[in-house]
Amino acid sequence: MSEFRTIGILGGGQLGRMLSVAASRLGLRCHIFEPGTAPAGDVAWRLTQAPYEDDSALRIFAESVDVITYEFENVPTSALDLLESIRPIRPNRRALAVSQDRLTEKTFLNQIGLATAPFADVPDPASLEAAVAEIGRPSILKTRRMGYDGKGQVRIEDGPAEWTGAPSVLEGFVDFSAEISVIIARGADGQVSAFDPGLNVHKEGILRTTTVPCGLSAQVTTDAVLIAARIANALDYIGVLGVELFVTENGLIVNEIAPRVHNSGHWTQAGCAVDQFEQHIRAVAGLPLGDGKRHADVVMENLIGADMDRVPDLLVQPRTQVHLYGKGEARPGRKMGHANRITG
Ligand code: AMP
């Protein structure tokens, strides 16, 4: 079947955990590399807990696997260089480089003909004023690197503009009517399979729900899928890619891309024969992609912090899957699990 038996995963959070379960269903096994706490370790063949600076641990990890993938895009370049000298990394380094840095990402998207929010490079506090004059208010200052779930972002309205503390991009505020995302898989042979676009609702920068179908016109959903396919092809991508888009009066605007399985694709576990985690494993292991066609309407709800108190009730709801990540303390803002409710 697959020429690969063992998949290495950088990052041991919930995404790595669900990837590992998907791999196990295909007779494959996963070795997780994670510097911190690793809920994925509970369900993996092997777990290495070591910093990304530990060359010897990285080498032993790489030599024990056939291919390396990741659930976390902010892996240091030095670690990737070492790993790649031993085993292939899928998706490739270019996809990582583009998505690790908001300035590189937006520049790349514009170069392949896709619309983004207007943006300006803000390397230091001294350049902020000129950038605000160019982009206007309201706008959002975002760190170029390491931002996720709304972290590292400062909204600029009427008052003085605050500094993020690191090289940033200033983005014009997009007046969107909805936020959607496309999760798309691309195989080693260039075959592409997109899941239906989902409608996303965020609160305080964190995804709360994804709903499919997204309720938008066929034209918008087709456009969204074509945009995602264009990005995947341009990056010669192998694996699952998440593309977040704003729906505006003037068409779709790409907000950001994630070179990995994505929270807004968790609904596929209940809505498709082959979910995003399995598609990713198939792609990186060189297997054919499976059937990602949606067979049900689904609402995915994240269980964040104190939402865990609702688990006893959710467990007895009809047509509802509960996925818990096996994390310890349910701190505010921490993603502890999600529920997929089949609505039609
Ligand atoms: P991000 O971390 O870039 O995905 O931003 C988190 C959330 O902030 C997005 O899902 C949007 O709800 C909002 N947001 C980010 N950028 C913009 C923008 N340029 N205009 C309007 N809202 C934005």
Side-chain angles (χ1 to χ4, degrees):
M1 202 189 66
S2 171
E3 57 181 300
F4 298 140
R5 163 97 167 104
T6 309
I7 312 234
I9 302 179
L10 302 173
Q14 64 266 21
L15 301 177
R17 182 178 171 107
M18 292 184 275
L19 284 169
S20 188
V21 170
S24 72
R25 288 198 307 259
L26 291 170
L28 306 173
R29 59 188 189 182
C30 290
H31 186 168
I32 309 283
F33 191 103
E34 164 65 59
T37 53
D42 294 350
V43 298
W45 168 63
R46 269 176 81 177
L47 167 67
T48 297
Q49 271 176 305
Y52 284 120
E53 292 70 34
D54 185 338
D55 286 357
S56 142
L58 287 170
R59 202 167 283 120
I60 292 167
F61 165 78
E63 281 166 358
S64 78
V65 303
D66 298 305
V67 62
I68 297 167
T69 189
Y70 44 89
E71 56 119 56
F72 169 76
E73 56 267 42
N74 291 311
V75 177
T77 305
S78 56
L80 294 167
D81 287 343
L82 173 57
L83 294 169
E84 199 173 30
S85 71
I86 302 172
R87 291 292 183 271
I89 298 180
R90 294 179 168 177
N92 62 38
R93 294 290 297 280
R94 172 128 192 267
L96 261 175
V98 162
S99 56
Q100 272 178 343
D101 180 329
R102 290 185 194 274
L103 184 63
T104 315
E105 179 180 61
K106 286 189 165 38
T107 307
F108 159 76
L109 291 166
N110 289 174
Q111 272 166 357
I112 63 165
L114 300 178
T116 60
F119 64 96
D121 182 13
V122 191
D124 47 42
S127 40
L128 184 52
E129 200 180 321
V132 175
E134 181 193 335
I135 301 295
R137 296 166 187 258
S139 44
I140 306 184
L141 189 65
K142 300 181 178 180
T143 55
R144 284 176 59 171
R145 292 175 164 272
M146 298 298 276
Y148 67 98
D149 287 350
K151 293 191 171 70
Q153 300 192 10
V154 177
R155 195 103 170 231
I156 296 177
E157 311 222 35
D158 298 332
E162 233 181 273
W163 177 237
T164 53
S168 297
V169 283
L170 184 69
E171 273 186 40
F173 198 79
V174 177
D175 186 17
F176 58 80
S177 57
E179 289 187 77
I180 61 173
S181 56
V182 177
I183 310 302
I184 193 165
R186 188 171 181 277
D189 58 357
Q191 180 198 4
V192 157
S193 172
F195 293 106
D196 275 5
L199 177 72
N200 298 326
V201 174
H202 294 86
K203 246 191 260 163
E204 286 134 23
I206 304 180
L207 182 70
R208 295 290 151 156
T209 60
T210 300
T211 302
V212 284
C214 66
L216 298 168
S217 69
Q219 185 173 338
V220 173
T221 53
T222 303
D223 269 352
V225 168
L226 291 173
I227 286 171
R230 186 185 298 194
I231 297 169
N233 276 339
L235 292 171
D236 197 16
Y237 198 87
I238 300 176
V240 162
L241 170 78
V243 180
E244 294 184 60
L245 302 135
F246 296 132
V247 181
T248 77
E249 273 181 359
N250 303 317
L252 292 168
I253 287 180
V254 183
N255 174 29
E256 62 180 5
I257 64 177
R260 53 171 166 78
V261 287
H262 196 258
N263 192 170
S264 68
H266 291 359
W267 67 268
T268 59
Q269 294 168 315
C272 305
V274 175
D275 66 27
Q276 64 163 348
F277 302 99
E278 184 171 334
Q279 288 294 53
H280 185 77
I281 294 293
R282 284 177 180 235
V284 302
L287 295 169
L289 300 179
D291 179 7
K293 194 169 173 344
R294 185 174 59 79
H295 58 63
D297 299 353
V298 184
V299 178
M300 186 289 304
E301 184 192 2
N302 269 338
L303 302 174
I304 299 168
D307 290 340
M308 284 299 279
D309 296 346
R310 293 174 36 226
V311 166
D313 178 48
L314 286 166
L315 284 172
V316 295
Q317 292 300 313
R319 312 222 295 164
T320 300
Q321 294 179 334
V322 178
H323 296 258
L324 301 176
Y325 307 149
K327 293 183 181 176
E329 198 194 338
R331 289 192 297 270
R334 191 173 196 202
K335 289 177 180 168
M336 302 299 294
H338 65 275
N340 286 325
R341 191 158 48 87
I342 296 172
T343 56

